[in-house]
Amino acid sequence: MGTGVARKISESTVRRLSLYLRFLEEFEEQGTETLSSEELARRGSTTAAQVRKDLSLFGSFGKRGLGYSVRELKSTLRRLLGLDRAWRVALIGAGRIGSALFAYGDFRRRGFTIVTVLDTDPDKIGARWGSVRIQDAEGLEEVLRRESVDIAILAVPVEEAQRVADRVVDAGVQAVLNFAPTQLHVPTEVALRDVSMSMELEALSFALTTGNGTGP
Amino acid sequence: MGTGVARKISESTVRRLSLYLRFLEEFEEQGTETLSSEELARRGSTTAAQVRKDLSLFGSFGKRGLGYSVRELKSTLRRLLGLDRAWRVALIGAGRIGSALFAYGDFRRRGFTIVTVLDTDPDKIGARWGSVRIQDAEGLEEVLRRESVDIAILAVPVEEAQRVADRVVDAGVQAVLNFAPTQLHVPTEVALRDVSMSMELEALSFALTTGNGTGP
DNA sequence: ACATGTGAACTGCTTCACAGCG
DNA sequence: CGCTGTGAAGCAGTTCACATGT
C-alpha cells in the first residue's frame, strides 16, 4: 500500500487512470456518491478486475462490500496523476493547430495553463492571444526558463520539430507533447508523447482493409 | 507467407508499421535503396527483431544477407495499411479543431481526402472551405451516404459526441476518429480511435510527478 | 559472410477466483 | 452478504538465438 515504492506503471494503466478520473467527475455531477469497480469498468469498456488491479498498484482506496467513494477516489486519482497542481505549459507554434490548441477548453479545465506562446513568424510575434503575447521563438530557451515552463507543446512544421525539441530540452523542460508527424528523439529522462493524427487514420485504414477491429 | 490468413494484428504492430512507412519514405528521399532491419529499428527506437517479427506477420519481404528494398517494402506497407487507395473522409464539426484538421496537409498527403464538412451552426452552413461547402449536420445520414464516406472525423463538443457517433454509425460508416474528450461507445464492427489530447498531457503530468519515463 | 525469418524463452499485462473484511 | 484486494493462472507481446537462404 501507499505510493512509497516507485513501481513501474504501464502506459495502459496511466491511460485508464485518466479515463477513470473522467468517469468519476461525470458520476459526481450526477450526484453518485459510491461506485463499484463493476460500474466503473462498464463505463470504460474494461473489466472490474482490471479496475481493481490498476488502483491496487497505488493503494487500497475502496471499502469492501461497498465500493469506492466517488469524491475520495476522484481526489486520489487527481493526486496520483499529478493534477492537484497547475502545470505551466508553453505552446510552440502559433499556426492553425497551435491556435486550436490554445483555445481548447479541456486543457485549462484540467489544470494545464498555457503561459506562453512562441512562433517565428514576424507577423505573429507580439500579437495578443487572450492574456498572452506571442513571443519570438528566437529566444526560446530564455522564455521557457523565465516562465518556468513544465511542459512544451510542439505544434510546429515537421521539418523544424526535432530542432525545436532539442532546444526545448536544452532549456531544461522535462516533458514534451509533440503534434508534428515525426518520431522525435529526446533523452530518456525527458517524457515525450506524440499525438499522431495521421497514424490514427492509418490504423483506421488498416482496420477497414483487413476487417480487424481496433477496440479492446 | 501471403496475407491470406486473418491473424489478429496488435495495435502496437499497426502503429509500428505506420512508423516504418514514414521512415522508408524518408530513406527513399535520401536515395537509399536497401535497408536492414537494424537500421529501421534504430530510426524507430525499437529492435531489429521487433521489425522482422512485425513484417513476418504478413510475409517475407527481405533478402537474406542484404536487407529490404526500400521501394518494395514501402509499397508493401502502403498496401498492407490500405493506403494504396483514397479514403473518403467526412469532417464533422467546423470549429477551431475542425478547421485546423481540414487544413492539415499530412492527411491529404497520405490519401485521406476530406470530401465533406458538416456543422450545425447556421452561420457556417453553406460557407466554402476550399472546394467543399459546409453541409447542415441536420442531414448527416443522407450526406454521409451520398458522399460514400468511409471514415468520419468527430470534432464536435463533448456533449454531442455520442449522439453524433450514433448517427454516423447509423449512416453505415465503419470507422470513426474521435477528437472529443470522451469515451464513445460504438458496435464492435465499427473501428474507433481516439485522439485524446488531454489524456496525453495527463500522462506527461504523471511522468513528471513520479519520475517515471513515458518512452518504451 | 551476412541479414532474414522464426520457434522458443521470457517478460509483462490481463483475467480468474477466492480469501479477507466491512 | 457484497465487493475489494491480490496471488496465481493465462495470454500476448517482445526478445533471443540460430537455422536458413543468398
Side-chain angles (χ1 to χ4, degrees):
Chain A
M1 59 154 90
T3 346
V5 186
R7 287 164 132 293
K8 170 67 171 57
I9 304 301
S10 78
E11 199 174 317
S12 6
T13 296
V14 177
R15 195 177 46 242
R16 283 191 300 265
L17 294 180
S18 288
L19 266 180
Y20 302 156
L21 176 55
R22 282 228 160 72
F23 301 152
L24 286 165
E25 289 168 349
E26 293 177 14
F27 279 111
E28 190 177 49
E29 264 177 46
Q30 295 167 24
T32 313
E33 301 210 332
T34 264
L35 208 56
S36 68
S37 55
E38 183 61 42
E39 293 168 287
L40 255 181
R42 199 161 27 231
R43 184 73 182 73
S45 315
T46 179
T47 66
Q50 183 72 78
V51 171
R52 296 200 298 275
K53 190 60 102 178
D54 285 338
L55 297 176
S56 79
L57 296 171
F58 300 94
S60 308
F61 310 115
K63 298 196 196 338
R64 288 165 198 252
L66 236 176
Y68 301 88
S69 149
V70 170
R71 233 172 44 84
E72 279 176 30
L73 187 56
K74 190 192 87 166
S75 82
T76 301
L77 287 181
R78 286 184 53 83
R79 182 172 47 74
L80 290 176
L81 288 167
L83 301 176
D84 52 352
R85 50 161 291 187
W87 293 101
R88 297 176 66 80
V89 178
L91 174 61
I92 308 180
R96 291 174 193 271
I97 292 183
S99 75
L101 293 176
F102 184 81
Y104 190 52
D106 214 45
F107 287 165
R108 222 183 322 281
R109 202 171 304 130
R110 306 198 143 266
F112 299 98
T113 316
I114 294 176
V115 294
T116 181
V117 179
L118 298 94
D119 203 301
T120 50
D121 181 348
D123 292 347
K124 286 176 183 154
I125 294 166
R128 288 192 142 278
W129 277 7
S131 60
V132 312
R133 193 178 292 280
I134 298 180
Q135 305 287 312
D136 189 345
E138 182 73 29
L140 187 142
E141 291 84 347
E142 212 249 307
V143 174
L144 298 192
R145 286 216 183 79
R146 186 176 61 226
E147 294 283 354
S148 310
V149 165
D150 302 300
I151 301 173
I153 299 182
L154 266 55
V156 301
V158 60
E159 311 81 41
E160 295 174 26
Q162 184 61 57
R163 205 170 10 241
V164 172
D166 292 342
R167 295 183 63 186
V168 162
V169 169
D170 279 350
V173 174
Q174 291 290 310
V176 176
L177 183 62
N178 172 42
F179 280 83
T182 186
Q183 172 97 334
L184 297 180
H185 292 269
V186 297
T188 46
E189 71 273 16
V190 174
L192 169 67
R193 309 276 316 189
D194 293 283
V195 174
S196 191
M197 305 181 282
S198 302
M199 272 171 55
E200 299 298 336
L201 274 183
E202 289 177 23
L204 290 177
S205 165
F206 180 79
L208 287 172
T209 304
T210 61
N212 258 349
T214 47
Chain B
M1 57 154 87
T3 345
V5 186
R7 285 165 133 294
K8 169 68 172 57
I9 304 301
S10 78
E11 198 173 319
S12 6
T13 296
V14 178
R15 195 176 47 242
R16 283 191 301 265
L17 294 181
S18 288
L19 266 180
Y20 302 155
L21 176 55
R22 282 228 161 71
F23 301 153
L24 286 166
E25 289 168 348
E26 293 176 16
F27 279 111
E28 190 177 49
E29 265 177 46
Q30 294 167 23
T32 313
E33 301 210 333
T34 265
L35 208 57
S36 68
S37 55
E38 183 60 44
E39 293 168 286
L40 254 181
R42 200 164 25 233
R43 184 73 184 72
S45 313
T46 178
T47 65
Q50 182 72 79
V51 171
R52 294 200 299 275
K53 191 60 104 181
D54 285 338
L55 297 177
S56 79
L57 297 172
F58 301 94
S60 309
F61 310 115
K63 297 193 198 339
R64 290 167 198 249
L66 236 176
Y68 301 88
S69 149
V70 170
R71 230 172 46 82
E72 279 177 31
L73 187 55
K74 190 192 88 167
S75 83
T76 301
L77 287 180
R78 287 186 53 83
R79 183 173 44 76
L80 289 176
L81 289 167
L83 301 176
D84 53 352
R85 48 160 292 184
W87 293 101
R88 297 177 64 81
V89 178
L91 174 62
I92 308 180
R96 291 174 193 270
I97 292 182
S99 75
L101 293 176
F102 185 81
Y104 190 54
D106 214 46
F107 287 165
R108 222 183 321 280
R109 202 170 305 131
R110 307 199 143 266
F112 299 98
T113 316
I114 294 178
V115 294
T116 182
V117 179
L118 297 95
D119 204 301
T120 51
D121 182 346
D123 291 349
K124 286 175 183 155
I125 295 166
R128 286 192 142 276
W129 277 8
S131 61
V132 312
R133 192 178 292 279
I134 298 180
Q135 305 288 312
D136 188 346
E138 181 73 30
L140 187 142
E141 291 84 348
E142 212 248 309
V143 174
L144 298 193
R145 286 215 183 81
R146 186 176 60 225
E147 295 284 354
S148 310
V149 164
D150 302 300
I151 301 174
I153 299 182
L154 266 57
V156 301
V158 60
E159 311 80 41
E160 296 175 26
Q162 184 61 57
R163 206 173 5 243
V164 173
D166 293 341
R167 295 183 62 186
V168 163
V169 169
D170 278 350
V173 174
Q174 292 290 309
V176 175
L177 183 61
N178 173 42
F179 280 83
T182 185
Q183 173 95 336
L184 296 181
H185 292 268
V186 297
T188 46
E189 71 273 16
V190 175
L192 170 67
R193 309 275 317 188
D194 293 283
V195 174
S196 190
M197 304 181 283
S198 303
M199 272 170 55
E200 300 297 335
L201 275 183
E202 288 176 24
L204 289 176
S205 165
F206 180 80
L208 288 172
T209 304
T210 60
N212 257 349
T214 46

